[in-house]
Amino acid sequence: MGRSEASQNKKKKNIPFFPLIIFVGMLFTVTLWDAYLHGTDPLGRELVSSLILIMGTLFSISAGLFSWSIESRRGMLERQVNERTRELNEKNQELAEKNQEIEQFIHTISHDLKAPIVSIQGFASILKSELGSTLNEGQTNYFSRILTNLKYMNSLIADLLELSRIGRIEEEKEEVDTIKVLEGLVAELKPEMDRRRVTIELKTEFPKFFGSRKRLEQVFLNLLGNAVKYIGTPECPKIEVGCSESRKSGFSEIWIRDNGIGIKKEYQEKIFQMFQRAPESIKEEGTGIGLNIVKKIVELNGGAVWVESEPGKGSTFFFEWTKACGTL
Ligand code: ADP
C-alpha cells in the first residue's frame, strides 16, 4: 500500500461519526415535525407523533446511556489513578525507610569500627617506636604500610560517618557571609597550596547565602580541597572561584575552576557516586566519598551540582546555593 493511500485510509477512519449521527437524527426529527405540523391526514399525523415520541424516548435513553458510560469510564480512570498514586506513595515510603535503615546501618558500623581502629593504630605506633632500631628495612616498610592503611581506614570511616549524618540531623539555617567562609577555608588550605605552588583568586563579588553554614563550608572545602589535590603539575597552578545568577529563582550558581589534571567524560557523572574515583587521580590519597557528600548537601538544600572538564586542562565544578533574603 502506497504512502498516500495509507494516509487516506487513516483520514477515512478519523471521520467524526458522532456529530454525523446527531445531524442525521436532527434532520429526521425536523422532517417528521414538519410532516406533523403540515400534514392533514389524522392517521398520518398520529403515526408521525408516535414516531416522534419513540425517537424522543430512544434519544433520551441513548443520551443517558452515553453519559452513564462516560461517567463510569471517568470513575474507572479516577480509581486507577488513585490506585497508582497510592502504590507510588507506598513505594516512596518504603524507599525512604530503606534509605534511613541503610544510613543508620552505615552510622552504626562506622561508629563501632572507629574504636578498634584507633586502638590498632595506637598499638602499632607504640610497637614501632619500641622496636625502633632493631627493625630492618623490610619490617619498617611493613609498619609504614600498616599505619598508612589505618590512616586511610580512619578517613574512610570519618567520611562515612559524615555522610550518614547529612539529612538525618536537622541543621540550623542562617545568613552566611560567603566571603568570610571562603577566606577561612583558603587559610586552612594554605599549607597544602604552598606545597603545590597553587594560587587562588576570587573572581567575582559574592552575595550572602542562606542555609547551614557548616554544610556550606563542607561543600566549599571538599571542592577547593579537590581542586588543590588534583592540580597535577601545570606551569602556573591556579584555582578561580566565582559566582553568578542561577536560572533557579532565589539561587546563586557558584563555580570553582582549576587548571589541574581534569576528568575524562566517562567519569564526569560517576565521580558523584560513592567510592568512585577516576583512575588518573589514584596516586593522590582519597576515599571517593567527598563528592557524594557534596551532592547530598547541595541537593538537600534544593540545588544541583555538576562538572565540566577537559582531561589535562582542568575542571570547573558548579553548584547552586540559596541566596539570603533581600540579596540581589
Ligand atoms: P576523593 O578525592 O577522596 O577521591 P571525591 O569524592 O572528592 O573523593 O572525588 C571523587 C573523584 O573525583 C576523585 O577521586 C577524582 O578522581 C575526581 N575529582 C574530584 N575533583 C577533581 C578535580 N578538581 N580534578 C580532577 N579530578 C577530580
Side-chain angles (χ1 to χ4, degrees):
M1 195 191 293
R3 197 184 257 197
S4 62
E5 217 176 315
S7 72
Q8 261 178 3
N9 272 355
K10 213 173 173 187
K11 268 186 205 152
K12 267 186 215 158
K13 271 186 205 153
N14 287 343
I15 292 171
F17 278 112
F18 193 64
L20 196 71
I21 288 167
I22 290 181
F23 177 72
V24 171
M26 281 180 71
L27 203 69
F28 194 50
T29 312
V30 169
T31 317
L32 280 176
W33 187 245
D34 189 55
Y36 176 73
L37 284 183
H38 302 109
T40 46
D41 179 5
L43 202 67
R45 276 172 70 97
E46 207 144 289
L47 187 72
V48 171
S49 70
S50 310
L51 272 174
I52 290 176
L53 195 70
I54 292 168
M55 275 197 61
T57 314
L58 281 178
F59 183 74
S60 313
I61 291 172
S62 46
L65 279 175
F66 183 66
S67 63
W68 173 77
S69 86
I70 287 187
E71 236 351 90
S72 63
R73 188 157 172 72
R74 199 166 63 93
M76 197 177 75
L77 284 176
E78 236 169 47
R79 275 196 300 280
Q80 274 179 356
V81 169
N82 286 345
E83 180 67 13
R84 293 277 179 283
T85 315
R86 196 183 53 77
E87 277 174 17
L88 213 66
N89 284 344
E90 267 177 20
K91 288 270 176 283
N92 277 345
Q93 178 70 21
E94 268 175 38
L95 209 66
E97 279 167 17
K98 284 271 171 292
N99 271 343
Q100 235 173 2
E101 270 175 37
I102 291 171
E103 275 163 16
Q104 183 61 47
F105 177 71
I106 292 176
H107 182 81
T108 315
I109 293 279
S110 36
H111 190 265
D112 291 356
L113 278 177
K114 218 173 161 175
I117 284 172
V118 171
S119 152
I120 297 171
Q121 211 168 12
F123 283 119
S125 302
I126 294 171
L127 207 59
K128 190 183 171 201
S129 68
E130 279 188 4
L131 292 173
S133 53
T134 62
L135 291 173
N136 63 31
E137 201 184 325
Q139 289 162 336
T140 311
N141 189 22
Y142 289 151
F143 265 110
S144 306
R145 281 167 69 177
I146 291 173
L147 290 171
T148 310
N149 277 312
L150 285 170
K151 193 173 149 218
Y152 170 70
M153 276 191 86
N154 243 337
S155 20
L156 196 64
I157 286 168
D159 282 355
L160 279 174
L161 263 175
E162 202 46 59
L163 186 71
S164 74
R165 280 191 193 116
I166 300 161
R168 257 180 353 116
I169 297 159
E170 189 74 29
E171 306 283 348
E172 192 201 332
K173 294 195 170 182
E174 57 188 310
E175 193 174 288
V176 184
D177 189 338
T178 322
I179 287 288
K180 259 201 183 148
V181 165
L182 280 170
E183 283 170 355
L185 294 175
V186 171
E188 198 174 312
L189 291 167
K190 183 106 182 28
E192 191 57 20
M193 280 166 54
D194 288 348
R195 196 173 74 79
R196 299 183 189 245
R197 299 182 301 106
V198 183
T199 59
I200 191 160
E201 200 181 335
L202 305 186
K203 297 293 280 186
T204 62
E205 302 264 308
F206 284 84
K208 287 199 170 159
F209 287 157
F210 184 77
S212 157
R213 173 193 299 273
K214 182 178 161 198
R215 296 298 175 210
L216 180 63
E217 275 180 352
Q218 219 170 355
V219 170
F220 270 125
L221 185 62
N222 271 318
L223 296 178
L224 288 171
N226 278 349
V228 175
K229 184 159 71 164
Y230 300 115
I231 200 70
T233 50
E235 212 175 308
C236 303
K238 69 166 191 273
I239 297 170
E240 293 172 340
V241 187
C243 176
S244 60
E245 196 65 27
S246 164
R247 261 179 287 169
K248 202 175 280 171
S249 154
F251 281 74
S252 278
E253 191 174 294
I254 303 105
W255 48 266
I256 292 158
R257 179 176 305 138
D258 63 65
N259 59 346
I261 61 172
I263 305 156
K264 280 190 190 151
K265 190 104 198 106
E266 63 261 39
Y267 282 95
Q268 290 176 12
E269 266 187 43
K270 271 193 198 160
I271 52 171
F272 291 97
Q273 292 165 18
M274 229 193 323
F275 304 127
Q276 294 290 336
R277 307 192 69 203
E280 294 72 23
S281 58
I282 294 300
K283 61 176 186 292
E284 297 293 345
E285 272 180 20
T287 57
I289 300 178
L291 286 181
N292 194 245
I293 290 181
V294 167
K295 185 173 156 68
K296 210 166 161 190
I297 295 175
V298 171
E299 286 180 356
L300 263 175
N301 196 57
V305 56
W306 65 99
V307 66
E308 287 171 10
S309 181
E310 220 180 303
K313 294 212 168 143
S315 314
T316 309
F317 282 82
F318 300 85
F319 72 95
E320 295 164 325
W321 198 267
T322 29
K323 288 188 285 187
C325 255
T327 313
L328 286 177

